[in-house]
Amino acid sequence: MFKNFAAEFKKFAMRGNVIDMAVGIIIGAAFGKIVDSLVKDIIMPPIGLLLGKVDFTNLFLVLKSGVTPPPYASLSAAQNAGAVTLNIGLFVNAVISFAIVAFAVFILIKGINELQAKIDKKAAADEAKNEPKTKICPYCCSEIPVPAVRCPHCTSELPAEKAKKK
């Protein structure tokens, strides 16, 4: 029974879409770390400087004091004292990270859609090139234009279903 299960699992795991999903998750996790660093290390320090040297990671409200009484110099100091805090700065960082990821995904999807539109347009043009321009009259076997409804050679009426395309 275990051999059969192992073979089925291997068959499932080696499907292309499962591997693609795994690669996507790994790349997404790495991209998340890059965006997190971008927000914390590049974007938030200048914003904090513009707003009066505010460090958003240490922007919090104390809901309940800890073992040592407030004020707390930093979020980590408040958490170490056992205080219950409302972590506004961490939330702001998370919102900015989400906005950056959403924008990056939007740009990616927009690029993919434009590329797909070009591919579809080229495929339609290729299909139009490959459409036959003439057909064979079923009565006299002469080559005539596809839109013709009467053969110019034998003057027979050409029902659409009888005409053979060349």
Side-chain angles (χ1 to χ4, degrees):
M1 180 177 160
F2 181 71
K3 284 184 180 181
N4 193 22
F5 176 76
E8 286 182 31
F9 181 76
K10 182 178 178 183
K11 183 179 177 185
F12 167 77
M14 297 312 287
R15 285 184 185 165
N17 54 355
V18 173
I19 293 171
D20 291 345
M21 184 179 69
V23 169
I25 290 169
I26 292 167
I27 297 290
F31 184 69
K33 289 179 183 177
I34 291 170
V35 169
D36 192 42
S37 175
L38 176 69
V39 170
K40 286 181 183 175
D41 303 328
I42 306 294
I43 294 175
M44 294 314 286
I47 291 174
L49 188 62
L50 290 172
L51 296 176
K53 297 184 181 182
V54 175
D55 180 7
F56 279 99
T57 57
N58 286 320
L59 184 60
F60 64 96
L61 294 174
V62 177
L63 299 177
K64 182 180 176 195
S65 300
V67 177
T68 55
Y72 304 108
S74 67
L75 177 60
S76 60
Q79 290 173 337
N80 289 339
V84 177
T85 59
L86 189 62
N87 305 323
I88 298 167
L90 295 177
F91 177 73
V92 169
N93 283 349
V95 168
I96 291 172
S97 294
F98 172 77
I100 291 170
V101 170
F103 182 72
V105 168
F106 170 74
I107 295 299
L108 180 68
I109 296 298
K110 185 175 178 183
I112 290 171
N113 287 344
E114 288 175 5
L115 182 62
Q116 187 63 46
K118 286 181 183 177
I119 290 170
D120 291 346
K121 187 176 179 181
K122 185 177 181 330
D126 289 346
E127 189 176 308
K129 281 183 191 176
N130 293 335
E131 281 189 14
K133 306 253 186 282
T134 60
K135 61 185 177 183
I136 302 295
C137 172
Y139 302 106
C140 70
C141 298
S142 298
E143 193 171 323
I144 56 174
V146 169
V149 292
R150 187 176 290 274
C151 178
H153 303 285
C154 68
T155 68
S156 300
E157 279 193 44
L158 302 170
E161 57 273 359
K162 278 195 167 184
K164 297 177 189 173
K165 293 183 180 178
K166 181 180 177 185

mmCIF file of all heavy atoms in Angstrom, residues 16-70:
data_model
loop_
_atom_site.group_PDB
_atom_site.id
_atom_site.type_symbol
_atom_site.label_atom_id
_atom_site.label_comp_id
_atom_site.label_asym_id
_atom_site.label_seq_id
_atom_site.Cartn_x
_atom_site.Cartn_y
_atom_site.Cartn_z
ATOM 1 N N GLY A 16 3.631 19.641 -13.697
ATOM 2 C CA GLY A 16 4.193 20.963 -13.991
ATOM 3 C C GLY A 16 3.605 22.066 -13.145
ATOM 4 O O GLY A 16 4.316 22.932 -12.654
ATOM 5 N N ASN A 17 2.274 22.057 -12.939
ATOM 6 C CA ASN A 17 1.661 23.152 -12.204
ATOM 7 C C ASN A 17 2.050 23.138 -10.728
ATOM 8 O O ASN A 17 2.129 24.188 -10.101
ATOM 9 C CB ASN A 17 0.146 23.160 -12.378
ATOM 10 C CG ASN A 17 -0.494 21.839 -12.015
ATOM 11 O OD1 ASN A 17 0.187 20.866 -11.721
ATOM 12 N ND2 ASN A 17 -1.808 21.798 -12.056
ATOM 13 N N VAL A 18 2.317 21.981 -10.141
ATOM 14 C CA VAL A 18 2.745 21.918 -8.747
ATOM 15 C C VAL A 18 4.144 22.511 -8.617
ATOM 16 O O VAL A 18 4.422 23.297 -7.700
ATOM 17 C CB VAL A 18 2.709 20.464 -8.216
ATOM 18 C CG1 VAL A 18 3.303 20.372 -6.831
ATOM 19 C CG2 VAL A 18 1.281 19.933 -8.209
ATOM 20 N N ILE A 19 5.014 22.175 -9.520
ATOM 21 C CA ILE A 19 6.378 22.713 -9.489
ATOM 22 C C ILE A 19 6.350 24.217 -9.742
ATOM 23 O O ILE A 19 7.029 24.983 -9.061
ATOM 24 C CB ILE A 19 7.268 21.969 -10.498
ATOM 25 C CG1 ILE A 19 7.441 20.514 -10.035
ATOM 26 C CG2 ILE A 19 8.617 22.655 -10.654
ATOM 27 C CD1 ILE A 19 8.109 19.615 -11.037
ATOM 28 N N ASP A 20 5.537 24.662 -10.690
ATOM 29 C CA ASP A 20 5.408 26.099 -10.954
ATOM 30 C C ASP A 20 4.914 26.840 -9.715
ATOM 31 O O ASP A 20 5.398 27.930 -9.400
ATOM 32 C CB ASP A 20 4.442 26.354 -12.116
ATOM 33 C CG ASP A 20 4.995 25.903 -13.456
ATOM 34 O OD1 ASP A 20 6.218 25.666 -13.532
ATOM 35 O OD2 ASP A 20 4.206 25.780 -14.407
ATOM 36 N N MET A 21 3.940 26.254 -9.032
ATOM 37 C CA MET A 21 3.417 26.878 -7.821
ATOM 38 C C MET A 21 4.505 26.965 -6.753
ATOM 39 O O MET A 21 4.651 27.991 -6.083
ATOM 40 C CB MET A 21 2.217 26.095 -7.289
ATOM 41 C CG MET A 21 1.562 26.758 -6.089
ATOM 42 S SD MET A 21 0.131 25.869 -5.470
ATOM 43 C CE MET A 21 0.898 24.423 -4.802
ATOM 44 N N ALA A 22 5.289 25.901 -6.581
ATOM 45 C CA ALA A 22 6.362 25.912 -5.586
ATOM 46 C C ALA A 22 7.392 26.994 -5.908
ATOM 47 O O ALA A 22 7.819 27.736 -5.020
ATOM 48 C CB ALA A 22 7.024 24.542 -5.520
ATOM 49 N N VAL A 23 7.758 27.111 -7.171
ATOM 50 C CA VAL A 23 8.710 28.153 -7.576
ATOM 51 C C VAL A 23 8.115 29.530 -7.307
ATOM 52 O O VAL A 23 8.799 30.430 -6.798
ATOM 53 C CB VAL A 23 9.098 27.987 -9.061
ATOM 54 C CG1 VAL A 23 9.856 29.199 -9.578
ATOM 55 C CG2 VAL A 23 9.919 26.725 -9.252
ATOM 56 N N GLY A 24 6.839 29.703 -7.608
ATOM 57 C CA GLY A 24 6.171 30.987 -7.356
ATOM 58 C C GLY A 24 6.160 31.349 -5.882
ATOM 59 O O GLY A 24 6.380 32.507 -5.515
ATOM 60 N N ILE A 25 5.915 30.380 -5.033
ATOM 61 C CA ILE A 25 5.897 30.639 -3.588
ATOM 62 C C ILE A 25 7.289 31.027 -3.098
ATOM 63 O O ILE A 25 7.446 31.966 -2.315
ATOM 64 C CB ILE A 25 5.351 29.417 -2.827
ATOM 65 C CG1 ILE A 25 3.848 29.273 -3.114
ATOM 66 C CG2 ILE A 25 5.606 29.533 -1.329
ATOM 67 C CD1 ILE A 25 3.248 27.971 -2.632
ATOM 68 N N ILE A 26 8.298 30.322 -3.566
ATOM 69 C CA ILE A 26 9.674 30.629 -3.150
ATOM 70 C C ILE A 26 10.082 32.022 -3.623
ATOM 71 O O ILE A 26 10.619 32.822 -2.855
ATOM 72 C CB ILE A 26 10.642 29.552 -3.675
ATOM 73 C CG1 ILE A 26 10.375 28.222 -2.961
ATOM 74 C CG2 ILE A 26 12.089 29.980 -3.494
ATOM 75 C CD1 ILE A 26 11.028 27.026 -3.598
ATOM 76 N N ILE A 27 9.802 32.336 -4.878
ATOM 77 C CA ILE A 27 10.129 33.663 -5.412
ATOM 78 C C ILE A 27 9.325 34.737 -4.682
ATOM 79 O O ILE A 27 9.848 35.813 -4.366
ATOM 80 C CB ILE A 27 9.860 33.725 -6.936
ATOM 81 C CG1 ILE A 27 10.763 32.755 -7.689
ATOM 82 C CG2 ILE A 27 10.004 35.136 -7.471
ATOM 83 C CD1 ILE A 27 12.218 33.128 -7.719
ATOM 84 N N GLY A 28 8.064 34.454 -4.403
ATOM 85 C CA GLY A 28 7.215 35.410 -3.682
ATOM 86 C C GLY A 28 7.743 35.697 -2.288
ATOM 87 O O GLY A 28 7.730 36.842 -1.830
ATOM 88 N N ALA A 29 8.203 34.665 -1.591
ATOM 89 C CA ALA A 29 8.758 34.868 -0.248
ATOM 90 C C ALA A 29 10.016 35.728 -0.318
ATOM 91 O O ALA A 29 10.203 36.645 0.492
ATOM 92 C CB ALA A 29 9.064 33.529 0.408
ATOM 93 N N ALA A 30 10.873 35.457 -1.292
ATOM 94 C CA ALA A 30 12.088 36.260 -1.449
ATOM 95 C C ALA A 30 11.734 37.702 -1.818
ATOM 96 O O ALA A 30 12.337 38.651 -1.301
ATOM 97 C CB ALA A 30 12.995 35.644 -2.509
ATOM 98 N N PHE A 31 10.757 37.872 -2.702
ATOM 99 C CA PHE A 31 10.318 39.214 -3.097
ATOM 100 C C PHE A 31 9.742 39.956 -1.896
ATOM 101 O O PHE A 31 9.964 41.153 -1.734
ATOM 102 C CB PHE A 31 9.287 39.114 -4.222
ATOM 103 C CG PHE A 31 8.852 40.442 -4.761
ATOM 104 C CD1 PHE A 31 9.727 41.227 -5.482
ATOM 105 C CD2 PHE A 31 7.558 40.895 -4.560
ATOM 106 C CE1 PHE A 31 9.335 42.454 -5.988
ATOM 107 C CE2 PHE A 31 7.156 42.117 -5.062
ATOM 108 C CZ PHE A 31 8.040 42.904 -5.778
ATOM 109 N N GLY A 32 9.015 39.232 -1.040
ATOM 110 C CA GLY A 32 8.462 39.840 0.176
ATOM 111 C C GLY A 32 9.554 40.374 1.081
ATOM 112 O O GLY A 32 9.423 41.451 1.667
ATOM 113 N N LYS A 33 10.643 39.640 1.204
ATOM 114 C CA LYS A 33 11.771 40.102 2.035
ATOM 115 C C LYS A 33 12.401 41.350 1.436
ATOM 116 O O LYS A 33 12.779 42.282 2.152
ATOM 117 C CB LYS A 33 12.813 39.002 2.176
ATOM 118 C CG LYS A 33 12.342 37.850 3.052
ATOM 119 C CD LYS A 33 13.392 36.767 3.139
ATOM 120 C CE LYS A 33 12.859 35.592 3.960
ATOM 121 N NZ LYS A 33 13.828 34.494 3.998
ATOM 122 N N ILE A 34 12.524 41.382 0.112
ATOM 123 C CA ILE A 34 13.096 42.558 -0.551
ATOM 124 C C ILE A 34 12.209 43.775 -0.334
ATOM 125 O O ILE A 34 12.687 44.863 -0.005
ATOM 126 C CB ILE A 34 13.297 42.287 -2.058
ATOM 127 C CG1 ILE A 34 14.407 41.254 -2.260
ATOM 128 C CG2 ILE A 34 13.612 43.572 -2.818
ATOM 129 C CD1 ILE A 34 14.519 40.747 -3.677
ATOM 130 N N VAL A 35 10.894 43.600 -0.498
ATOM 131 C CA VAL A 35 9.963 44.713 -0.301
ATOM 132 C C VAL A 35 9.983 45.167 1.152
ATOM 133 O O VAL A 35 9.966 46.368 1.442
ATOM 134 C CB VAL A 35 8.538 44.319 -0.743
ATOM 135 C CG1 VAL A 35 7.523 45.350 -0.307
ATOM 136 C CG2 VAL A 35 8.495 44.152 -2.249
ATOM 137 N N ASP A 36 10.033 44.226 2.087
ATOM 138 C CA ASP A 36 10.080 44.568 3.504
ATOM 139 C C ASP A 36 11.322 45.405 3.798
ATOM 140 O O ASP A 36 11.250 46.424 4.505
ATOM 141 C CB ASP A 36 10.082 43.286 4.337
ATOM 142 C CG ASP A 36 9.845 43.558 5.801
ATOM 143 O OD1 ASP A 36 8.969 44.391 6.117
ATOM 144 O OD2 ASP A 36 10.529 42.927 6.643
ATOM 145 N N SER A 37 12.457 45.010 3.245
ATOM 146 C CA SER A 37 13.686 45.776 3.432
ATOM 147 C C SER A 37 13.582 47.144 2.765
ATOM 148 O O SER A 37 14.031 48.146 3.323
ATOM 149 C CB SER A 37 14.881 45.012 2.863
ATOM 150 O OG SER A 37 16.046 45.795 2.941
ATOM 151 N N LEU A 38 12.973 47.202 1.583
ATOM 152 C CA LEU A 38 12.791 48.472 0.894
ATOM 153 C C LEU A 38 11.984 49.441 1.755
ATOM 154 O O LEU A 38 12.350 50.609 1.905
ATOM 155 C CB LEU A 38 12.103 48.246 -0.458
ATOM 156 C CG LEU A 38 11.747 49.496 -1.263
ATOM 157 C CD1 LEU A 38 13.020 50.172 -1.766
ATOM 158 C CD2 LEU A 38 10.850 49.138 -2.431
ATOM 159 N N VAL A 39 10.912 48.932 2.347
ATOM 160 C CA VAL A 39 10.067 49.792 3.176
ATOM 161 C C VAL A 39 10.804 50.220 4.438
ATOM 162 O O VAL A 39 10.870 51.407 4.758
ATOM 163 C CB VAL A 39 8.746 49.075 3.530
ATOM 164 C CG1 VAL A 39 7.974 49.852 4.581
ATOM 165 C CG2 VAL A 39 7.902 48.897 2.287
ATOM 166 N N LYS A 40 11.372 49.260 5.166
ATOM 167 C CA LYS A 40 12.005 49.567 6.453
ATOM 168 C C LYS A 40 13.291 50.371 6.289
ATOM 169 O O LYS A 40 13.550 51.279 7.078
ATOM 170 C CB LYS A 40 12.329 48.269 7.200
ATOM 171 C CG LYS A 40 11.132 47.586 7.778
ATOM 172 C CD LYS A 40 11.552 46.330 8.510
ATOM 173 C CE LYS A 40 10.347 45.586 9.049
ATOM 174 N NZ LYS A 40 10.734 44.315 9.666
ATOM 175 N N ASP A 41 14.103 50.028 5.295
ATOM 176 C CA ASP A 41 15.442 50.595 5.207
ATOM 177 C C ASP A 41 15.580 51.755 4.225
ATOM 178 O O ASP A 41 16.504 52.558 4.350
ATOM 179 C CB ASP A 41 16.442 49.491 4.809
ATOM 180 C CG ASP A 41 16.415 48.325 5.787
ATOM 181 O OD1 ASP A 41 16.159 48.563 6.976
ATOM 182 O OD2 ASP A 41 16.644 47.179 5.347
ATOM 183 N N ILE A 42 14.692 51.865 3.251
ATOM 184 C CA ILE A 42 14.837 52.901 2.229
ATOM 185 C C ILE A 42 13.711 53.937 2.285
ATOM 186 O O ILE A 42 13.972 55.135 2.278
ATOM 187 C CB ILE A 42 14.874 52.269 0.806
ATOM 188 C CG1 ILE A 42 15.947 51.192 0.695
ATOM 189 C CG2 ILE A 42 15.031 53.333 -0.266
ATOM 190 C CD1 ILE A 42 17.360 51.685 0.806
ATOM 191 N N ILE A 43 12.460 53.495 2.347
ATOM 192 C CA ILE A 43 11.331 54.420 2.247
ATOM 193 C C ILE A 43 10.999 55.081 3.591
ATOM 194 O O ILE A 43 10.816 56.295 3.663
ATOM 195 C CB ILE A 43 10.095 53.701 1.675
ATOM 196 C CG1 ILE A 43 10.389 53.294 0.236
ATOM 197 C CG2 ILE A 43 8.865 54.587 1.747
ATOM 198 C CD1 ILE A 43 9.301 52.480 -0.410
ATOM 199 N N MET A 44 10.918 54.306 4.662
ATOM 200 C CA MET A 44 10.453 54.853 5.936
ATOM 201 C C MET A 44 11.427 55.829 6.590
ATOM 202 O O MET A 44 10.974 56.824 7.175
ATOM 203 C CB MET A 44 10.103 53.720 6.901
ATOM 204 C CG MET A 44 8.910 52.883 6.434
ATOM 205 S SD MET A 44 7.494 53.837 5.863
ATOM 206 C CE MET A 44 6.852 54.426 7.392
ATOM 207 N N PRO A 45 12.752 55.654 6.526
ATOM 208 C CA PRO A 45 13.628 56.653 7.158
ATOM 209 C C PRO A 45 13.453 58.078 6.611
ATOM 210 O O PRO A 45 13.313 59.014 7.414
ATOM 211 C CB PRO A 45 15.036 56.098 6.905
ATOM 212 C CG PRO A 45 14.833 54.627 6.848
ATOM 213 C CD PRO A 45 13.522 54.450 6.150
ATOM 214 N N PRO A 46 13.394 58.282 5.275
ATOM 215 C CA PRO A 46 13.164 59.661 4.815
ATOM 216 C C PRO A 46 11.790 60.201 5.208
ATOM 217 O O PRO A 46 11.658 61.381 5.537
ATOM 218 C CB PRO A 46 13.282 59.572 3.289
ATOM 219 C CG PRO A 46 13.974 58.306 2.999
ATOM 220 C CD PRO A 46 13.709 57.399 4.147
ATOM 221 N N ILE A 47 10.764 59.342 5.176
ATOM 222 C CA ILE A 47 9.430 59.801 5.582
ATOM 223 C C ILE A 47 9.445 60.179 7.052
ATOM 224 O O ILE A 47 8.886 61.203 7.449
ATOM 225 C CB ILE A 47 8.366 58.713 5.290
ATOM 226 C CG1 ILE A 47 8.183 58.560 3.785
ATOM 227 C CG2 ILE A 47 7.036 59.070 5.939
ATOM 228 C CD1 ILE A 47 7.262 57.432 3.384
ATOM 229 N N GLY A 48 10.082 59.356 7.873
ATOM 230 C CA GLY A 48 10.203 59.670 9.293
ATOM 231 C C GLY A 48 10.965 60.964 9.517
ATOM 232 O O GLY A 48 10.611 61.771 10.382
ATOM 233 N N LEU A 49 12.008 61.204 8.728
ATOM 234 C CA LEU A 49 12.795 62.431 8.834
ATOM 235 C C LEU A 49 11.943 63.644 8.468
ATOM 236 O O LEU A 49 12.005 64.678 9.136
ATOM 237 C CB LEU A 49 14.019 62.334 7.921
ATOM 238 C CG LEU A 49 15.059 63.430 8.046
ATOM 239 C CD1 LEU A 49 15.663 63.427 9.446
ATOM 240 C CD2 LEU A 49 16.147 63.236 7.016
ATOM 241 N N LEU A 50 11.150 63.517 7.403
ATOM 242 C CA LEU A 50 10.275 64.617 6.991
ATOM 243 C C LEU A 50 9.205 64.917 8.040
ATOM 244 O O LEU A 50 8.762 66.049 8.160
ATOM 245 C CB LEU A 50 9.607 64.289 5.651
ATOM 246 C CG LEU A 50 10.514 64.291 4.429
ATOM 247 C CD1 LEU A 50 9.762 63.768 3.211
ATOM 248 C CD2 LEU A 50 11.052 65.689 4.161
ATOM 249 N N LEU A 51 8.787 63.920 8.774
ATOM 250 C CA LEU A 51 7.743 64.093 9.784
ATOM 251 C C LEU A 51 8.325 64.363 11.171
ATOM 252 O O LEU A 51 7.648 64.149 12.168
ATOM 253 C CB LEU A 51 6.830 62.865 9.826
ATOM 254 C CG LEU A 51 6.034 62.605 8.552
ATOM 255 C CD1 LEU A 51 5.251 61.312 8.674
ATOM 256 C CD2 LEU A 51 5.098 63.752 8.250
ATOM 257 N N GLY A 52 9.549 64.817 11.226
ATOM 258 C CA GLY A 52 10.125 65.187 12.511
ATOM 259 C C GLY A 52 10.871 64.061 13.182
ATOM 260 O O GLY A 52 10.716 63.864 14.394
ATOM 261 N N LYS A 53 11.658 63.328 12.434
ATOM 262 C CA LYS A 53 12.495 62.249 12.947
ATOM 263 C C LYS A 53 11.682 61.161 13.657
ATOM 264 O O LYS A 53 12.103 60.608 14.660
ATOM 265 C CB LYS A 53 13.584 62.802 13.862
ATOM 266 C CG LYS A 53 14.540 63.723 13.147
ATOM 267 C CD LYS A 53 15.648 64.187 14.037
ATOM 268 C CE LYS A 53 16.549 65.131 13.260
ATOM 269 N NZ LYS A 53 17.664 65.599 14.011
ATOM 270 N N VAL A 54 10.512 60.863 13.114
ATOM 271 C CA VAL A 54 9.673 59.805 13.671
ATOM 272 C C VAL A 54 10.118 58.477 13.085
ATOM 273 O O VAL A 54 10.244 58.345 11.869
ATOM 274 C CB VAL A 54 8.181 60.040 13.342
ATOM 275 C CG1 VAL A 54 7.330 58.876 13.807
ATOM 276 C CG2 VAL A 54 7.704 61.335 13.960
ATOM 277 N N ASP A 55 10.394 57.506 13.943
ATOM 278 C CA ASP A 55 10.705 56.150 13.492
ATOM 279 C C ASP A 55 9.395 55.373 13.564
ATOM 280 O O ASP A 55 8.887 55.104 14.647
ATOM 281 C CB ASP A 55 11.775 55.518 14.396
ATOM 282 C CG ASP A 55 12.125 54.108 13.974
ATOM 283 O OD1 ASP A 55 11.651 53.671 12.904
ATOM 284 O OD2 ASP A 55 12.871 53.439 14.706
ATOM 285 N N PHE A 56 8.855 55.026 12.394
ATOM 286 C CA PHE A 56 7.545 54.391 12.370
ATOM 287 C C PHE A 56 7.512 53.048 13.085
ATOM 288 O O PHE A 56 6.470 52.651 13.581
ATOM 289 C CB PHE A 56 7.056 54.229 10.924
ATOM 290 C CG PHE A 56 6.459 55.473 10.374
ATOM 291 C CD1 PHE A 56 7.202 56.312 9.564
ATOM 292 C CD2 PHE A 56 5.162 55.823 10.671
ATOM 293 C CE1 PHE A 56 6.659 57.466 9.057
ATOM 294 C CE2 PHE A 56 4.599 56.981 10.168
ATOM 295 C CZ PHE A 56 5.354 57.809 9.362
ATOM 296 N N THR A 57 8.645 52.358 13.139
ATOM 297 C CA THR A 57 8.632 51.068 13.847
ATOM 298 C C THR A 57 8.426 51.267 15.336
ATOM 299 O O THR A 57 7.952 50.368 16.019
ATOM 300 C CB THR A 57 9.944 50.289 13.614
ATOM 301 O OG1 THR A 57 11.044 51.099 14.021
ATOM 302 C CG2 THR A 57 10.085 49.890 12.167
ATOM 303 N N ASN A 58 8.765 52.430 15.846
ATOM 304 C CA ASN A 58 8.575 52.716 17.268
ATOM 305 C C ASN A 58 7.371 53.614 17.523
ATOM 306 O O ASN A 58 7.275 54.229 18.579
ATOM 307 C CB ASN A 58 9.838 53.350 17.867
ATOM 308 C CG ASN A 58 10.931 52.322 18.033
ATOM 309 O OD1 ASN A 58 10.668 51.190 18.422
ATOM 310 N ND2 ASN A 58 12.154 52.706 17.710
ATOM 311 N N LEU A 59 6.471 53.678 16.566
ATOM 312 C CA LEU A 59 5.241 54.442 16.749
ATOM 313 C C LEU A 59 4.186 53.475 17.297
ATOM 314 O O LEU A 59 3.710 52.586 16.592
ATOM 315 C CB LEU A 59 4.789 55.035 15.409
ATOM 316 C CG LEU A 59 3.570 55.945 15.434
ATOM 317 C CD1 LEU A 59 3.809 57.144 16.333
ATOM 318 C CD2 LEU A 59 3.250 56.412 14.028
ATOM 319 N N PHE A 60 3.864 53.643 18.579
ATOM 320 C CA PHE A 60 2.924 52.729 19.238
ATOM 321 C C PHE A 60 2.191 53.458 20.340
ATOM 322 O O PHE A 60 2.621 54.521 20.810
ATOM 323 C CB PHE A 60 3.661 51.512 19.799
ATOM 324 C CG PHE A 60 4.655 51.837 20.881
ATOM 325 C CD1 PHE A 60 4.303 51.735 22.222
ATOM 326 C CD2 PHE A 60 5.940 52.256 20.566
ATOM 327 C CE1 PHE A 60 5.208 52.048 23.219
ATOM 328 C CE2 PHE A 60 6.858 52.567 21.549
ATOM 329 C CZ PHE A 60 6.494 52.463 22.888
ATOM 330 N N LEU A 61 1.065 52.900 20.749
ATOM 331 C CA LEU A 61 0.290 53.398 21.883
ATOM 332 C C LEU A 61 0.264 52.319 22.951
ATOM 333 O O LEU A 61 0.060 51.136 22.646
ATOM 334 C CB LEU A 61 -1.141 53.729 21.467
ATOM 335 C CG LEU A 61 -1.332 54.880 20.492
ATOM 336 C CD1 LEU A 61 -2.800 54.971 20.080
ATOM 337 C CD2 LEU A 61 -0.886 56.188 21.110
ATOM 338 N N VAL A 62 0.443 52.719 24.195
ATOM 339 C CA VAL A 62 0.396 51.769 25.309
ATOM 340 C C VAL A 62 -1.054 51.649 25.750
ATOM 341 O O VAL A 62 -1.678 52.632 26.158
ATOM 342 C CB VAL A 62 1.300 52.242 26.471
ATOM 343 C CG1 VAL A 62 1.182 51.278 27.642
ATOM 344 C CG2 VAL A 62 2.740 52.365 26.005
ATOM 345 N N LEU A 63 -1.603 50.448 25.644
ATOM 346 C CA LEU A 63 -2.977 50.200 26.084
ATOM 347 C C LEU A 63 -3.015 49.821 27.568
ATOM 348 O O LEU A 63 -3.952 50.180 28.276
ATOM 349 C CB LEU A 63 -3.613 49.092 25.238
ATOM 350 C CG LEU A 63 -3.722 49.375 23.737
ATOM 351 C CD1 LEU A 63 -4.294 48.164 23.016
ATOM 352 C CD2 LEU A 63 -4.575 50.605 23.478
ATOM 353 N N LYS A 64 -1.992 49.087 27.991
ATOM 354 C CA LYS A 64 -1.899 48.680 29.399
ATOM 355 C C LYS A 64 -0.422 48.623 29.758
ATOM 356 O O LYS A 64 0.371 48.016 29.045
ATOM 357 C CB LYS A 64 -2.548 47.311 29.601
ATOM 358 C CG LYS A 64 -2.531 46.844 31.044
ATOM 359 C CD LYS A 64 -3.186 45.488 31.199
ATOM 360 C CE LYS A 64 -3.035 45.071 32.665
ATOM 361 N NZ LYS A 64 -3.315 43.670 32.838
ATOM 362 N N SER A 65 -0.065 49.252 30.857
ATOM 363 C CA SER A 65 1.328 49.283 31.294
ATOM 364 C C SER A 65 1.811 47.899 31.659
ATOM 365 O O SER A 65 1.037 47.030 32.077
ATOM 366 C CB SER A 65 1.487 50.193 32.506
ATOM 367 O OG SER A 65 1.103 51.502 32.194
ATOM 368 N N GLY A 66 3.126 47.750 31.549
ATOM 369 C CA GLY A 66 3.751 46.486 31.908
ATOM 370 C C GLY A 66 4.256 46.522 33.336
ATOM 371 O O GLY A 66 3.791 47.323 34.168
ATOM 372 N N VAL A 67 5.222 45.660 33.629
ATOM 373 C CA VAL A 67 5.808 45.569 34.959
ATOM 374 C C VAL A 67 6.465 46.894 35.342
ATOM 375 O O VAL A 67 6.275 47.393 36.445
ATOM 376 C CB VAL A 67 6.831 44.407 35.018
ATOM 377 C CG1 VAL A 67 7.520 44.341 36.367
ATOM 378 C CG2 VAL A 67 6.155 43.091 34.691
ATOM 379 N N THR A 68 7.241 47.458 34.432
ATOM 380 C CA THR A 68 7.817 48.774 34.685
ATOM 381 C C THR A 68 6.877 49.818 34.102
ATOM 382 O O THR A 68 6.289 49.612 33.034
ATOM 383 C CB THR A 68 9.207 48.912 34.030
ATOM 384 O OG1 THR A 68 9.115 48.619 32.659
ATOM 385 C CG2 THR A 68 10.218 47.984 34.676
ATOM 386 N N PRO A 69 6.703 50.923 34.763
ATOM 387 C CA PRO A 69 5.750 51.935 34.294
ATOM 388 C C PRO A 69 6.266 52.676 33.063
ATOM 389 O O PRO A 69 7.462 52.753 32.839
ATOM 390 C CB PRO A 69 5.622 52.881 35.490
ATOM 391 C CG PRO A 69 6.858 52.681 36.286
ATOM 392 C CD PRO A 69 7.316 51.278 36.042
ATOM 393 N N PRO A 70 5.341 53.239 32.252
ATOM 394 C CA PRO A 70 5.752 54.026 31.091
ATOM 395 C C PRO A 70 6.409 55.323 31.552
ATOM 396 O O PRO A 70 6.308 55.663 32.707
ATOM 397 C CB PRO A 70 4.460 54.284 30.344
ATOM 398 C CG PRO A 70 3.344 53.893 31.225
ATOM 399 C CD PRO A 70 3.913 53.122 32.367
#
